[in-house]
Amino acid sequence: MANLTDLVNLNLSDCTDKIIAEYIWIGGSGIDLRSKARTVKGPITDASQLPKWNYDGSSTGQAPGQDSEVILYPQAIFKDPFRRGDNILVMCDCYTPQGEAIPTNKRSKAAKIFSHPDVAAEVPWYGIEQEYTLLQKDVNWPLGWPVGGYPGPQGPYYCSAGADKAFGRDIVDAHYKACLYAGINISGINGEVMPGQWEFQVGPSVGISAADEIWVARYILERITEVAGVVLSLDPKPIMGDWNGAGAHTNFSTKSMREAGGYEVIKKAIEKLGKRHAEHIAAYGEGNERRLTGHHETADINTFKWGVANRGASIRVGRDTEKEGKGYFEDRRPASNMDPYVVTSMIAETTLLL
């Protein structure tokens, strides 16, 4: 008699050409992820081969009950690390039945910016550092912390090893490998300054693919923490006081920045970002004012400044970039709960189109 695990792990490839496609989309809060599965004929090698689908938008805060149908447009596909085989994860964006992007669909506008000839010609690269906090279920308190109490002060936890310093490594490593399996360009992981907080990096990825990959990596992490009975938090300041917040530092370069003389291009781009500081801050995540205080490796939310190797700046330029006269810069302002479609496209728009 097969048990539940046997059935979950059934290999369907030797008995059917059908595969399971898990359609993923962003819900009404702009940060929650939703998904549902359908059977399609495989194999699928491109999102354009998949049919559109629909869901009840009144149940996700994205449509009224009397006109609740929202249409899912498949945009990017990834291998499914949970079902494996030829099964896939499908990143979608959301439209009305008339074909108009719904308000929470930030991908549609981003796609227009990235398809602009002046942006496409510069082949924008992104490397996004996604920080997050693992919480104990039911008590809303970081993993590894005594319930209702605090661990020792920050210092020994960053990139640490040991049962008294690194909490949740099995989840982090499972996520790392699952993302590699899925085809996400995940480039590394590390433990963060606050215990129970971790980071993964995606990139360098070109244009809108960086945001697709971050969203699907977040989805995979949600699924893994679901299995582990741990809660994923993207709150930019989950614990008030003398504890680091969580950000999504976004590294950016263009073709001109990566070539000889690129450092001057970088400085001009940073100048443009400074002129739109308020607009960027408004779009860089909810609750960011609790994180960007001028302490804990941040610049004050109302101040724009940049510097070489300065982790207390809004924009950091690396020593290698300064030395070589070309490279990239890091926007340290985005919060961990930022929408990567918004942040990546806004950086491109400000630096290349304005």
Side-chain angles (χ1 to χ4, degrees):
M1 174 69 73
N3 60 31
L4 186 60
T5 301
D6 293 332
L7 294 171
V8 168
N9 293 325
L10 269 178
N11 181 359
L12 304 177
S13 61
D14 58 354
C15 61
T16 180
D17 61 355
K18 302 289 180 64
I19 66 165
I20 302 171
E22 188 79 25
Y23 281 46
I24 304 164
W25 70 96
I26 300 160
S29 72
I31 192 65
D32 60 311
L33 284 160
R34 310 292 180 118
S35 74
K36 62 177 183 172
R38 68 180 299 168
T39 306
V40 297
K41 186 174 181 180
I44 298 294
T45 58
D46 190 85
S48 63
Q49 297 172 260
L50 290 163
K52 295 173 185 175
W53 205 8
N54 65 75
Y55 67 93
D56 171 18
S58 69
S59 295
T60 62
Q62 292 169 295
Q66 65 271 22
D67 186 14
S68 65
E69 192 169 284
V70 179
I71 312 300
L72 293 168
Y73 286 33
Q75 299 292 359
I77 62 170
F78 301 85
K79 292 172 66 179
D80 187 339
F82 304 103
R83 296 188 176 106
R84 290 170 284 186
D86 289 332
N87 302 301
I88 56 175
L89 303 177
V90 186
M91 190 65 209
C92 304
D93 59 355
C94 306
Y95 296 82
T96 67
Q98 293 74 38
E100 298 176 359
I102 66 171
T104 51
N105 178 358
K106 307 304 182 184
R107 192 186 193 281
S108 178
K109 180 182 177 182
K112 292 175 183 175
I113 291 171
F114 284 118
S115 64
H116 191 287
D118 292 347
V119 175
E122 284 289 344
V123 195
W125 288 3
Y126 296 90
I128 301 174
E129 306 168 30
Q130 176 68 70
E131 294 178 340
Y132 60 93
T133 308
L134 298 175
L135 303 178
Q136 301 169 57
K137 190 179 177 184
D138 300 326
V139 295
N140 202 37
W141 203 238
L143 197 66
W145 291 36
V147 176
Y150 295 87
Q154 294 183 155
Y157 309 107
Y158 174 69
C159 295
S160 64
D164 59 341
K165 295 181 286 292
F167 311 118
R169 189 184 299 277
D170 52 347
I171 293 170
V172 175
D173 206 43
H175 176 250
Y176 194 176
K177 292 178 179 178
C179 285
L180 286 170
Y181 179 94
I184 291 168
N185 190 23
I186 186 170
S187 47
I189 57 100
N190 61 268
E192 269 303 332
V193 176
M194 189 184 87
Q197 191 178 91
W198 295 81
E199 173 185 302
F200 67 88
Q201 303 94 32
V202 165
S205 298
V206 178
I208 204 166
S209 65
D212 286 334
E213 290 177 6
I214 282 288
W215 274 116
V216 175
R218 287 175 174 178
Y219 174 81
I220 291 171
L221 186 54
E222 286 276 19
R223 289 281 302 274
I224 290 171
T225 53
E226 172 189 323
V227 173
V230 171
V231 175
L232 169 65
S233 172
L234 295 181
D235 190 293
K237 188 72 173 180
I239 304 294
M240 297 305 292
D242 195 16
W243 303 98
N244 274 36
H249 302 155
T250 301
N251 299 276
F252 175 71
S253 72
T254 63
K255 185 172 180 288
S256 298
M257 294 176 189
R258 297 187 292 268
E259 294 176 345
Y263 193 32
E264 292 304 313
V265 180
I266 288 171
K267 288 192 283 188
K268 290 177 182 176
I270 293 172
E271 184 180 351
K272 290 181 178 180
L273 288 168
K275 291 177 180 177
R276 295 191 76 205
H277 178 63
E279 293 92 330
H280 279 255
I281 286 294
Y284 272 16
E286 293 295 323
N288 214 7
E289 72 283 352
R290 293 182 281 117
R291 167 180 162 262
L292 297 181
T293 61
H295 304 288
H296 303 109
E297 302 180 73
T298 69
D300 180 83
I301 195 168
N302 297 311
T303 303
F304 181 87
K305 61 181 180 179
W306 74 277
V308 177
N310 183 357
R311 296 183 184 277
S314 312
I315 306 289
R316 182 185 68 87
V317 174
R319 290 286 183 201
D320 287 346
T321 295
E322 181 189 42
K323 181 179 178 180
E324 296 174 11
K326 60 182 180 180
Y328 69 96
F329 65 81
E330 175 192 49
D331 190 339
R332 297 178 59 80
R333 297 171 295 174
S336 51
N337 60 4
M338 61 82 162
D339 186 330
Y341 293 129
V342 173
V343 169
T344 58
S345 63
M346 195 171 191
I347 291 172
E349 180 183 47
T350 298
T351 59
L352 296 173
L353 298 180
L354 299 179

